[in-house]
Amino acid sequence: MGTMSKSPWLLHYDASSCNGCDIEVLDCLMPKYDIERFGIINTGDPFQADILLITGGINSQTEPVVKQLYSQMPEPKVVVAVGICACTGGVFKECYNIKGGVDTVIPVDVYVPGCAARPESIIDGVVKALAILDQKQKDAKSGKTAEADDEAGGTNG
């Protein structure tokens, strides 16, 4: 079994964005930026996904969906929060209906700020996620866990 980053599957979910970041995510799939050159396959199936890429802030309607998608993904998995709304809640942070960024409901591995996040930044974030995914896979193979690393005085990436 080779490294997982050779054919990672990416699931994109819009948690409540204005659609600006979603358009930029789609732009990453077009020939100009061609994120598929990294072997990434865009999927709609959380059971097959390795990377959960989320745009928009979390609200009461999207919270259970995000938690469900995350729980359906197999280990190891990584989460990429794209756009300032997914990172912190952004300009909507103080709104009555926004809980905040993605990390208010699930763990986030990579933050890609921006309003809207540029395709170059999104691709950079996904490439960072691939390195984290590879490390998580190596740790899983060796039986190493994040908790064991914490107890040993190490840091989580």
Side-chain angles (χ1 to χ4, degrees), residues 3 14 19 30 35 39 48 76 84 93 96 108 113 127 154:
T3 60
D14 175 358
N19 226 21
M30 297 295 115
I35 199 168
Q48 305 298 321
I84 198 65
K93 188 174 187 170
Y96 73 94
V108 172
V127 169

Side-chain angles (χ1 to χ4, degrees), residues 16 47 49 61 88 95 129:
S16 72
F47 293 102
Q61 291 182 331
T88 67
C95 291

Side-chain angles (χ1 to χ4, degrees), residues 58-65 97-99:
I58 303 297
N59 61 34
S60 61
Q61 291 182 331
T62 60
E63 178 181 8
V65 178
N97 62 331
I98 295 290
K99 297 178 84 76

